[in-house]
Amino acid sequence: MNHFDLAALIRNSKKNAPVRLACAGLVVLVAAGLSACGGEKAKKPGQALASVNGEEVTILQLNEELQRSGAQPAQQATASKQLLEALIDRQLLQSEAAKDKTDRDPKVMQAIERAKALIVAQAYMQKRVGNVAKPAAAEVEDYFNKNPGFFSQRKQFDMRELIVGSADVNDELKAAMDAAKSLEEVAAWLDAHKVKFTRTQLSRTSADLAPELSGKLLAMPKGQLFIIKEGERSMLISIAEIKDAPVTLEVAKGQIEQFLFNKRNKEAADAELARLRAAAKIEYFNKGEAAPAPAAAAAKPAAPAADSNARGVAGLK
């Protein structure tokens, strides 16, 4: 079953490691366990696998954790044992939390309510848009033909990098890069001026990058030097080689299908949120402190410069 991720829609991969036991036990404590504290405890359904101070851990709970873990069939026996121990640890923590009234802490109660609201809202959205049809073969082929830069004319950029602190990128360094004929000359300049740096190599294809960036890289000659800033670090990059790296429709078919299916899901979710907003009476307070976006714009989160739709199937990587 394909699950629509409402949280991602509102915030804009999840990648579940097969078994993240310690963290899972603590995180789920807030979202799932504490809400049962304070009143009469309901009997948990399912065959009991263990008892922790009289509280049962059931096979239904284990199956749920196993499904969420993403463990492969060959790993499930080992994962089941580890997850059962994690459930026991969680029950111990939950019981202690009930004793010292952690579940009554305002921040914990707020976290529980938030988790509950997200689960219910996501379940509703899944029910409304969960039957989106998969793209037909003709649609997949059409997308392939209309995006040669991602597929039939895909390019691979092999690059070399020197990573420095952004604070070290000044006019003097830029002048040195303008005068340098190679990245090695820049490295020598950094050494001479006692600027710390690390070396890396990377390869990216035109399917991994925004079309605008791919176009700029293709226009650069081999050996061209340029700078990309990322917060507190900056990359001094040299293009080592640009080569053809095409893929066929047969190879790209599954990836395109998934991309188009995800795109349809998002469009259906956006439409449902727009419908609900149009039918609702929404009032904003403290207007002097914030300028809320219009309903139509708010229904669809703003996209970053190189989001998954702009980059097509590259968004799936």
Side-chain angles (χ1 to χ4, degrees), residues 187-207:
W189 187 94
L190 293 172
D191 280 330
H193 289 77
K194 294 181 171 52
V195 177
K196 293 182 179 180
F197 66 93
T198 57
R199 297 175 183 266
T200 63
Q201 300 181 15
L202 73 157
S203 292
R204 295 289 184 271
T205 72
S206 53

Side-chain angles (χ1 to χ4, degrees), residues 101-120:
K101 294 184 170 49
T102 298
D103 57 320
R104 298 293 105 191
D105 183 287
K107 290 183 179 180
V108 175
M109 294 176 70
Q110 185 178 14
I112 291 171
E113 287 303 311
R114 179 181 182 277
K116 179 180 177 181
L118 281 172
I119 290 169
V120 172

Side-chain angles (χ1 to χ4, degrees), residues 9-10 12 263 266-267 269-271 273-274 277 293-303 307 309:
L9 170 68
I10 296 174
N12 228 23
K263 186 171 181 286
K266 184 179 184 303
E267 289 170 349
D270 288 344
L273 282 173
R277 280 179 168 268
K300 185 174 183 178
D307 70 356
N309 284 335

Side-chain angles (χ1 to χ4, degrees), residues 18-279:
V19 187
R20 287 194 181 121
L21 300 178
C23 290
L26 293 173
V27 172
V28 182
L29 172 66
V30 174
L34 293 175
S35 58
C37 301
E40 185 178 350
K41 296 177 182 177
K43 183 176 177 61
K44 298 173 185 176
Q47 179 181 352
L49 296 175
S51 175
V52 183
N53 296 327
E55 292 289 341
E56 291 183 349
V57 176
T58 70
I59 194 168
L60 289 180
Q61 290 175 284
L62 179 59
N63 286 342
E64 173 71 10
E65 295 300 314
L66 193 60
Q67 182 180 1
R68 290 179 179 275
S69 75
Q72 298 300 312
Q75 301 172 314
Q76 288 188 358
T78 300
S80 294
K81 294 177 182 177
Q82 294 175 321
L83 288 169
L84 178 58
E85 296 305 315
L87 285 168
I88 291 172
D89 290 344
R90 185 193 306 173
Q91 185 60 55
L92 289 169
L93 290 169
Q94 182 177 334
S95 298
E96 290 304 304
K99 289 179 183 178
D100 69 5
K101 294 184 170 49
T102 298
D103 57 320
R104 298 293 105 191
D105 183 287
K107 290 183 179 180
V108 175
M109 294 176 70
Q110 185 178 14
I112 291 171
E113 287 303 311
R114 179 181 182 277
K116 179 180 177 181
L118 281 172
I119 290 169
V120 172
Q122 182 170 323
Y124 169 81
M125 189 64 82
Q126 175 64 29
K127 182 170 65 174
R128 294 289 298 186
V129 307
N131 294 322
V132 172
K134 291 186 177 181
E139 295 176 82
V140 173
E141 184 174 359
D142 183 62
Y143 186 86
F144 178 90
N145 292 331
K146 287 181 177 178
N147 293 276
F150 294 154
F151 309 112
S152 59
Q153 298 175 22
R154 190 176 72 166
K155 301 291 183 180
Q156 179 174 316
F157 305 96
D158 293 334
M159 294 172 278
R160 307 292 182 267
E161 290 184 333
L162 303 176
I163 302 175
V164 301
S166 292
D168 293 319
V169 180
N170 50 31
D171 292 340
E172 192 178 3
L173 173 55
K174 291 178 182 177
M177 288 189 67
D178 290 338
K181 296 180 180 179
S182 69
L183 199 64
E184 287 306 314
E185 289 187 17
V186 178
W189 187 94
L190 293 172
D191 280 330
H193 289 77
K194 294 181 171 52
V195 177
K196 293 182 179 180
F197 66 93
T198 57
R199 297 175 183 266
T200 63
Q201 300 181 15
L202 73 157
S203 292
R204 295 289 184 271
T205 72
S206 53
D208 301 321
L209 305 171
E212 300 81 10
L213 180 55
S214 291
K216 290 180 179 179
L217 292 178
L218 285 170
M220 292 181 182
K222 183 178 178 180
Q224 175 72 51
L225 303 177
F226 58 97
I227 301 174
I228 293 180
K229 288 188 176 181
E230 284 187 353
E232 296 182 356
R233 70 173 193 164
S234 292
M235 283 75 73
L236 316 182
I237 303 176
S238 170
I239 298 176
E241 188 176 6
I242 300 175
K243 54 191 177 184
D244 294 331
V247 293
T248 65
L249 174 60
E250 188 63 28
V251 171
K253 179 182 176 182
Q255 199 173 23
I256 297 173
E257 285 179 343
Q258 188 62 51
F259 166 73
L260 293 177
F261 180 72
N262 291 346
K263 186 171 181 286
R264 283 185 179 179
N265 262 323
K266 184 179 184 303
E267 289 170 349
D270 288 344
E272 177 61 10
L273 282 173
R275 182 188 72 81
L276 293 173
R277 280 179 168 268

